């Protein structure tokens, strides 16, 4: 291992095995299955003309409620009926396969582009109730964690399932703090980027490059190896991010300071100049820590799904994390905070918000930082972020774009276009304002999302690896292309 022997790394320390077993067996669910019960198809015409339930029907419904949850499907092509088990509010897509038009038929599949109604895994990490605006990590409400926890403690909770004891937290923080250094060759690698390279591009590349430095990471079914890669990834992400930032400024890299907190050290690596010892402003340090808590996990979002998908091929966690970071980069996901700032700058003044909203409603633009696949209510993270913004502005001065953002929110929350579509501010709407006030350029905004999300990605990855039901992720397709045809020589083509 490349860092062996360096005093700042803990490679030669005894690596404790996880104290909480990761392979806790799932509660036994009723077996899934499908079987034809050979009932004749119902007479749809009669049912449609008879809206009042006759007494025998109501009685049979009562009896049905006493039975295990099942779904009866009638295949009108064949007249066959199938009874499919419902477990945890889902049916198994594979149970549909036995429903065939004839013996040559492949069997029925479900079609769900963008997974809008498909659960791809059983998870115990984060819980979201999108209608009520609830987010919990391992059962703990996000608001409570933001108030009482720290990012490193929350990362432990997300990965281990329980809040750490004092000793466990000290051990955890020690290991992460002592894995913040990166190999000098990574610095050379960063030096190869143009001065104006987007820091997310640099981050994705350097995370992927870490896989070449730690070949032991391929041992993904070894819990000790997974633990070590977890320390390394959580420890090194701020260093990679800060070095990418310093590279874009042409500033010398500032090395990690082990005496500072996770976010204090990150601020040190970003902003240290000539002072011998960087001392982070405690308000900004805490604000960043809370922002990191709020971004630590968010169940099966695009990047978590990328992490699981790529990880399902059993690649090392650095390669999978690079893929997840790439997914996060997109403007519809973690790149949205950058786009919000650009949008607010484009609006330029409170007076021009109405005109921008008109263009959004005409379908010409999107209101960035609004809307969410799951939340159909105010994003609970956005509420906390609004409070943090005030604290940061007290230190750094009020961001003039805040007035524009507030006007945007005011108009949108009253406008039928947004109300009827249940579009509310999401996590990205206010974060950009805070980051900008703290002195970050817009290109760093998605990077500030990727750092804390690493804990969530690793938890999702490990959960996937240890889930006996998971295999390499490989969706089906509905092929609507050409049937087989003969090759046409070039001279015969039109
Ligand atoms: N501005 C204007 N209209 C919107 C917006 C928006 N931000 N978001 C959704 N809509 C509209 C859609 O046009 C659609 O309207 P229609 O029914 O007339 O066609 C309707 O609301 C439903 O939207 P979908 O695109 O179907 O919703 P989906 O769940 O696929 O998309 C998404 C969710 C990608 C977040 C979307 O709301 C969006 O693009 N928002 C802006 C980007 C953004 O802020 N992303 C960050 C999300 S949070 C995160 O990833 C950390």
């Amino acid at each position: 291992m490349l860092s062996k022997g360096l005093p700042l790394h803990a490679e030669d320390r005894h690596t404790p095995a996880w104290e909480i077993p990761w392979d806790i067996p799932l509660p036994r669910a009723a077996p899934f299955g499908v079987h034809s019960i050979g009932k004749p198809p119902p007479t749809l015409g009669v049912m449609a003309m008879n809206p009042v339930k006759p007494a025998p029907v109501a009685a049979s419904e009562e009896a049905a409620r006493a039975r295990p949850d099942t779904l009866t499907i009638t295949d009108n092509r064949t007249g066959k009926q199938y009874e499919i088990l419902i477990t945890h509010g889902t049916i198994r897509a594979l149970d549909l396969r036995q429903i065939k038009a004839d013996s040559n038929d492949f069997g029925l599949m479900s079609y769900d582009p963008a997974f809008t109604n498909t659960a791809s895994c059983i998870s115990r990490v984060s819980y979201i109730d999108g209608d009520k605006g609830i987010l919990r990590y391992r059962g703990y409400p996000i608001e409570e964690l933001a108030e009482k926890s720290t990012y490193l403690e929350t990362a432990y909770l997300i990965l281990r399932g329980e809040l750490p004891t004092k000793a466990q937290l000290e051990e955890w923080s020690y290991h992460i703090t002592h894995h913040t250094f990166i190999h000098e060759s990574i610095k050379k690698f960063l030096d190869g980027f143009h001065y104006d390279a987007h820091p997310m591009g640099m981050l994705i590349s350097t995370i992927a490059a870490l896989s070449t430095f730690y070949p032991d990471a391929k041992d993904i079914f070894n819990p000790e190896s997974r633990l070590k890669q977890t320390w390394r990834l959580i420890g090194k992400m701020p260093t990679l991010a800060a070095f990418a930032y310093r590279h874009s400024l042409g500033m010398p890299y500032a090395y990690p300071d082990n005496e500072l907190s996770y976010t204090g050290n990150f601020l040190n690596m970003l902003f240290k100049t000539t002072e011998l010892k960087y001392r982070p402003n405690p308000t900004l340090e805490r604000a960043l820590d809370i922002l990191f808590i709020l971004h630590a996990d968010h169940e099966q979002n695009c990047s978590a799904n990328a992490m699981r998908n790529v990880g399902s091929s059993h690649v090392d966690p650095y390669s999978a994390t690079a893929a997840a970071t790439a997914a996060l980069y997109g403007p519809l996901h973690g790149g949205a905070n950058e786009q919000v700032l650009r949008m607010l700058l484009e609006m330029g003044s409170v007076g021009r918000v109405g005109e921008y909203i008109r263009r959004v409603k005409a379908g010409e633009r999107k209101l960035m930082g609004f809307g969410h696949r799951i939340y159909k209510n105010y994003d609970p993270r956005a509420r906390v972020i609004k409070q943090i913004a005030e604290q940061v502005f007290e230190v750094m001065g009020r961001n003039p774009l805040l007035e524009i953002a507030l006007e945007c929110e005011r108009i949108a929350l009253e406008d039928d276009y947004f109300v009827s579509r249940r579009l509310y501010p999401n996590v990205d709407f206010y974060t950009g304002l805070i980051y900008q006030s703290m002195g970050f350029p817009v290109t760093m905004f998605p990077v500030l999302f990727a750092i804390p999300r690493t804990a969530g990605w690793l938890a999702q990855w490990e959960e996937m690896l240890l889930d006996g039901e998971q295999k390499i992720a490989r969706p089906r397709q509905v092929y609507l292309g050409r049937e087989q045809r003969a090759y046409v020589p070039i001279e015969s083509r039109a």
Side-chain angles (χ1 to χ4, degrees):
M1 270 161 284
L2 289 159
S3 56
K4 200 158 198 152
L6 287 176
L8 285 162
H9 287 257
E11 307 291 347
D12 51 355
R13 283 172 60 95
H14 169 65
T15 307
W18 290 111
E19 288 148 18
I20 300 167
W22 285 92
D23 50 347
I24 307 162
L26 304 178
R28 238 172 229 293
F32 288 95
V34 60
H35 49 273
S36 165
I37 54 174
K39 282 187 195 153
T43 327
L44 294 174
V46 174
M47 282 166 67
M49 289 172 66
N50 192 5
V52 181
K53 283 179 196 159
V57 174
S60 74
E61 279 180 1
E62 189 60 38
R65 271 195 285 279
R67 288 201 299 268
D69 287 352
T70 60
L71 175 75
T72 302
I73 297 178
T74 305
D75 185 347
N76 291 323
R77 300 170 302 178
T78 59
K80 280 190 180 172
Q81 278 197 339
Y82 301 84
E83 191 178 358
I84 296 178
L85 281 174
I86 300 174
T87 308
H88 307 303
T90 64
I91 59 162
R92 296 250 161 181
L94 206 54
D95 286 350
L96 300 175
R97 186 73 73 72
Q98 293 188 28
I99 303 177
K100 298 185 181 200
D102 54 55
S103 57
N104 292 327
D105 189 0
F106 177 76
L108 202 64
M109 292 192 295
S110 61
Y111 175 61
D112 188 9
F115 304 122
T116 51
N117 196 39
T118 295
S120 62
C121 62
I122 289 173
S123 183
R124 293 179 169 77
V125 184
S126 300
Y127 170 78
I128 302 176
D129 184 325
D131 285 330
K132 295 192 183 129
I134 291 174
L135 169 61
R136 296 182 200 132
Y137 299 154
R138 303 282 189 182
Y140 292 99
I142 190 72
E143 296 82 358
E144 224 177 317
L145 292 170
E147 190 191 331
K148 298 174 184 160
S149 187
T150 61
Y151 173 68
L152 281 190
E153 183 184 68
T154 299
Y156 183 101
L157 168 72
I158 285 174
L159 277 144
R160 301 287 307 268
E162 296 297 337
L163 285 167
T165 61
K166 199 164 178 287
Q168 286 168 333
L169 182 58
E170 271 168 21
E171 178 85 355
W172 174 248
S173 305
Y174 176 89
H175 286 298
I176 290 172
T177 307
H178 288 78
H179 283 85
T180 47
F181 270 63
I182 54 173
H183 197 277
E184 288 291 296
S185 294
I186 291 272
K187 268 174 42 186
K188 291 188 202 140
F189 186 73
L190 275 167
D191 287 341
F193 285 101
H194 277 209
Y195 74 94
D196 59 351
H198 196 291
M200 272 303 260
M202 291 194 257
L203 186 66
I204 294 164
S205 316
T206 44
I207 296 168
L210 286 182
S211 76
T212 65
F213 290 80
Y214 303 113
D216 58 316
K218 291 190 194 311
D219 195 6
I220 55 170
F221 288 107
N222 176 347
E224 290 199 2
S225 171
R226 283 201 305 273
L227 178 55
K228 188 171 277 184
Q229 313 322 320
T230 300
W231 295 333
R232 283 175 174 155
L233 264 161
I234 295 177
K236 292 180 201 313
M237 282 292 276
T239 316
L240 295 177
F243 280 24
Y245 171 66
R246 304 280 287 210
H247 173 73
S248 61
L249 295 180
M251 294 269 288
Y253 303 117
Y255 280 76
D257 181 341
N258 286 1
E259 287 175 6
L260 297 176
S261 71
Y262 189 75
T263 41
N265 172 50
F266 180 46
L267 290 168
N268 156 68
M269 292 188 289
L270 290 162
F271 300 126
K272 184 171 190 277
T273 50
T274 55
E275 64 271 50
L276 286 179
K277 174 95 180 162
Y278 178 87
R279 296 195 189 286
N281 176 299
T283 305
L284 302 185
E285 184 183 6
R286 177 64 188 150
L288 198 57
D289 206 52
I290 296 173
L291 286 165
F292 278 10
I293 293 171
L294 299 176
H295 285 86
D297 193 53
H298 210 234
E299 54 123 295
Q300 304 312 310
N301 56 83
C302 178
S303 54
N305 185 51
M307 183 83 188
R308 281 177 173 263
N309 237 292
V310 173
S312 77
S313 73
H314 293 177
V315 73
D316 68 86
Y318 300 99
S319 303
T321 304
T325 312
L328 189 77
Y329 189 8
L332 297 188
H333 190 14
N337 51 19
E338 183 178 345
Q339 299 308 322
V340 171
L341 231 282
R342 294 189 192 285
M343 177 186 79
L344 296 176
L345 287 168
E346 190 186 331
M347 289 177 189
S349 70
V350 168
R352 290 177 58 193
V353 174
E355 169 57 15
Y356 197 95
I357 298 274
R358 189 198 61 72
R359 289 169 67 195
V360 169
K361 287 161 65 178
E364 293 167 24
R365 306 303 276 261
K366 266 194 170 174
L367 192 59
M368 299 311 286
F370 261 71
H372 199 276
R373 172 63 59 79
I374 308 290
Y375 293 120
K376 301 302 168 197
N377 199 327
Y378 214 98
D379 184 331
R381 300 168 297 176
R383 263 189 228 290
V384 181
I385 286 167
K386 246 176 129 174
Q387 293 162 13
I388 303 171
E390 291 301 338
Q391 293 161 21
V392 170
F393 297 159
E394 262 177 41
V395 177
M396 304 301 289
R398 205 168 166 82
N399 188 325
L401 294 176
L402 179 68
E403 298 311 325
I404 304 177
L406 289 171
E407 178 66 358
C408 242
E409 181 182 332
R410 189 191 66 74
I411 296 183
L413 293 186
E414 285 173 2
D415 192 296
D416 186 55
Y417 177 94
F418 298 91
V419 174
S420 63
R421 288 169 177 78
R422 305 180 72 187
L423 302 172
Y424 292 87
N426 59 48
V427 68
D428 288 321
F429 194 64
Y430 287 105
T431 46
L433 293 176
I434 303 178
Y435 296 148
Q436 199 199 31
S437 291
M438 288 173 85
F440 291 105
V442 282
T443 51
M444 277 298 282
F445 295 0
V447 172
L448 295 164
F449 194 150
I451 295 169
R453 186 52 64 85
T454 305
W457 288 332
L458 288 165
Q460 300 284 345
W461 168 71
E462 186 153 51
E463 193 175 55
M464 178 275 303
L465 281 182
L466 301 184
D467 181 344
E469 283 198 308
Q470 293 290 341
K471 296 176 174 202
I472 186 165
R474 205 293 186 194
R476 291 272 171 185
Q477 65 167 9
V478 177
Y479 179 72
L480 296 179
R482 301 282 200 131
E483 293 295 334
Q484 183 178 339
R485 50 188 173 155
Y487 181 81
V488 182
I490 196 160
E491 56 279 5
S492 313
R493 294 176 207 162

